[in-house]
Amino acid sequence: MRRAALVAATVEEIGEAGTLDVTVGQIARRAGMSSALAHHYFGGKAQIFLAAMRHIQSEYAAEVRRCLQQAEPGKRLEALISANFAPICFAPATVSAWLNFYVLAQSDKDAARLLQIYQKRLHSNLVHALRGRCAAPEQVAEVLAAQIDGTYLRAALAGESINGAEEAVLLAAKALMETS
Amino acid sequence: MRRAALVAATVEEIGEAGTLDVTVGQIARRAGMSSALAHHYFGGKAQIFLAAMRHIQSEYAAEVRRCLQQAEPGKRLEALISANFAPICFAPATVSAWLNFYVLAQSDKDAARLLQIYQKRLHSNLVHALRGRCAAPEQVAEVLAAQIDGTYLRAALAGESINGAEEAVLLAAKALMETS
DNA sequence: TTTTTTATTGACTGATCAGTCAATTAAAGG
DNA sequence: CCTTTAATTGACTGATCAGTCAATAAAAAA
């Protein structure tokens, strides 16, 4: 499928360049087609990138479901954190795409809407996972969401030493639950 | 001073656009001069933006010094966190510039170096402030640095509801110190 | 005043790129 | 086999912009 190839090529290209300033031509060439065809299938550059982010988010959502399902009831939070740092979600190119997506969401309405969906879902997942394990799930969820995003940010910049990221978030989570 | 005006205009323009894709012409016009003059003083667009980030970082460093100085020895960490959320450092345009700076640091050598300086200094400040207040200052500093960056990230995207950001980081800091 | 240096700009250039389109090839349907 | 539909592309276009430069104005030095 051409659309799938373009979505994959988009993530790879952005991951390699580290910026959203990749041309449609580059993406199309990597996907093995002409830039005109890319336009034919998606209409424009913005829509190509949004499709790529939707794909990343659906893979993320699937990973979350998978981890939550096979988690014992009292370990939902650990499963949720684990999902965020699964290889599919935490690959350098993926993280780089996220970082650029954040920047885009500041100026692009569609990106902002897509981001809000992710944030709301993460928040509600966190609150649910925290219920019964701390006194103020809402407040702790906010803090933990920032912790996850911040760890992502640093991962995108570190490149290599991504080790310890999940452990860091787990540490914060445990500390927050024990003291609130 | 022309250079100062350009630096200020750069931050404003990026803050308003939410992206690094602002033209030298826009920046120069906001600073009340021609784009040719902007090139005359800085040499190129990249250097204009780097100068703006250096300015932001020097203001930040000054705020950190100020807060640390007037803090009692046992409250260094609180002072450090407070500095990060001072109006000068936490203004929407400033946070937006930071976010774009992060993205740039993925592909630009000079930006990466500048970012590393900031990260190293923040880390060493955190470790110093944590010494004697928890068992594993190094580890906690990593977690807290991510917490601060993540909170910044969310601030750039929230726009309005920046309230509670400092409180969130403080909450995380206290929890981490009590449990490690 | 004259000269030299600095500040300043409008007008260009060269390159890049998103998006279009008419034309070609291939596939599907009848 | 013929026809209709879909896939595919090379070649363009129009616009944008970073960076240059020669020329002018202003200020400083002599």
Side-chain angles (χ1 to χ4, degrees), chain B:
Chain B
M1 198 59 177
R2 252 60 217 272
R3 292 175 63 101
L6 280 169
V7 160
T10 302
V11 177
E12 287 167 25
E13 204 69 36
I14 289 174
E16 219 163 84
T19 169
L20 224 47
D21 289 334
V22 291
T23 71
V24 176
Q26 285 172 301
I27 294 172
R29 189 159 66 252
R30 186 182 283 250
M33 74 194 75
S34 74
S35 76
L37 195 56
H39 277 101
H40 173 70
Y41 277 115
F42 281 98
K45 188 181 173 174
Q47 288 146 79
I48 297 178
F49 180 59
L50 282 183
M53 282 311 303
R54 262 186 238 108
H55 177 251
I56 286 178
Q57 291 198 23
S58 80
E59 270 189 333
Y60 165 76
E63 184 69 26
V64 167
R65 273 194 303 275
R66 209 181 58 77
C67 285
L68 283 181
Q69 250 163 15
Q70 63 183 53
E72 29 189 322
K75 289 282 186 187
R76 290 179 63 86
L77 182 66
E78 288 75 5
L80 195 52
I81 292 171
S82 168
N84 275 277
F85 297 95
I88 323 164
C89 310
F90 205 56
T94 304
V95 180
S96 182
W98 267 103
L99 188 44
N100 280 281
F101 177 61
Y102 282 131
V103 171
L104 182 67
Q106 283 182 118
S107 59
D108 184 289
K109 211 115 197 210
D110 292 325
R113 201 172 313 130
L114 193 53
L115 175 59
Q116 213 174 19
I117 294 173
Y118 154 77
Q119 285 182 333
K120 285 238 172 84
R121 191 146 51 191
L122 174 60
H123 184 261
S124 107
N125 277 337
L126 281 170
V127 170
H128 185 211
L130 284 164
R131 228 186 293 278
R133 297 186 69 182
C134 69
E138 290 278 343
Q139 199 179 9
V140 171
E142 287 296 322
V143 178
L144 267 184
Q147 180 74 51
I148 289 171
D149 289 352
T151 305
Y152 251 79
L153 183 67
R154 297 177 83 83
L157 298 166
E160 346 78 33
S161 60
I162 302 184
N163 313 312
E166 182 175 358
E167 288 70 24
V169 178
L170 272 173
L171 190 69
K174 278 179 187 148
L176 284 162
M177 287 189 299
E178 285 178 30
T179 59
S180 74

Side-chain angles (χ1 to χ4, degrees), chain A residues 18-179:
Chain A
T19 166
L20 225 45
D21 288 335
V22 290
T23 72
V24 176
Q26 285 172 301
I27 293 172
R29 189 160 66 252
R30 185 182 284 251
M33 74 193 75
S34 74
S35 75
L37 196 55
H39 278 101
H40 173 70
Y41 277 115
F42 281 99
K45 188 181 174 174
Q47 288 145 77
I48 297 178
F49 181 58
L50 283 183
M53 283 311 303
R54 261 185 239 108
H55 177 252
I56 286 178
Q57 290 200 22
S58 80
E59 268 188 335
Y60 165 76
E63 184 69 25
V64 167
R65 271 193 304 275
R66 209 179 59 75
C67 286
L68 284 182
Q69 250 162 15
Q70 63 184 54
E72 28 189 322
K75 289 282 185 187
R76 292 180 61 86
L77 183 67
E78 287 75 6
L80 194 53
I81 291 171
S82 168
N84 274 278
F85 296 96
I88 324 164
C89 310
F90 205 56
T94 303
V95 180
S96 182
W98 267 104
L99 188 44
N100 281 280
F101 176 61
Y102 282 131
V103 170
L104 183 66
Q106 283 181 121
S107 59
D108 184 290
K109 209 113 197 210
D110 293 324
R113 201 172 312 128
L114 194 53
L115 175 59
Q116 214 175 18
I117 293 173
Y118 154 77
Q119 285 183 333
K120 286 237 171 85
R121 192 147 48 190
L122 174 59
H123 184 262
S124 106
N125 278 336
L126 282 170
V127 170
H128 185 210
L130 284 164
R131 228 185 292 279
R133 298 185 67 183
C134 70
E138 290 279 342
Q139 199 179 9
V140 171
E142 287 296 321
V143 178
L144 267 185
Q147 180 72 49
I148 290 170
D149 290 352
T151 305
Y152 250 80
L153 183 68
R154 296 176 84 83
L157 298 166
E160 345 78 34
S161 61
I162 302 185
N163 313 313
E166 181 174 357
E167 288 70 24
V169 177
L170 272 174
L171 190 71
K174 277 178 189 148
L176 283 162
M177 287 190 298
E178 284 178 31
T179 59

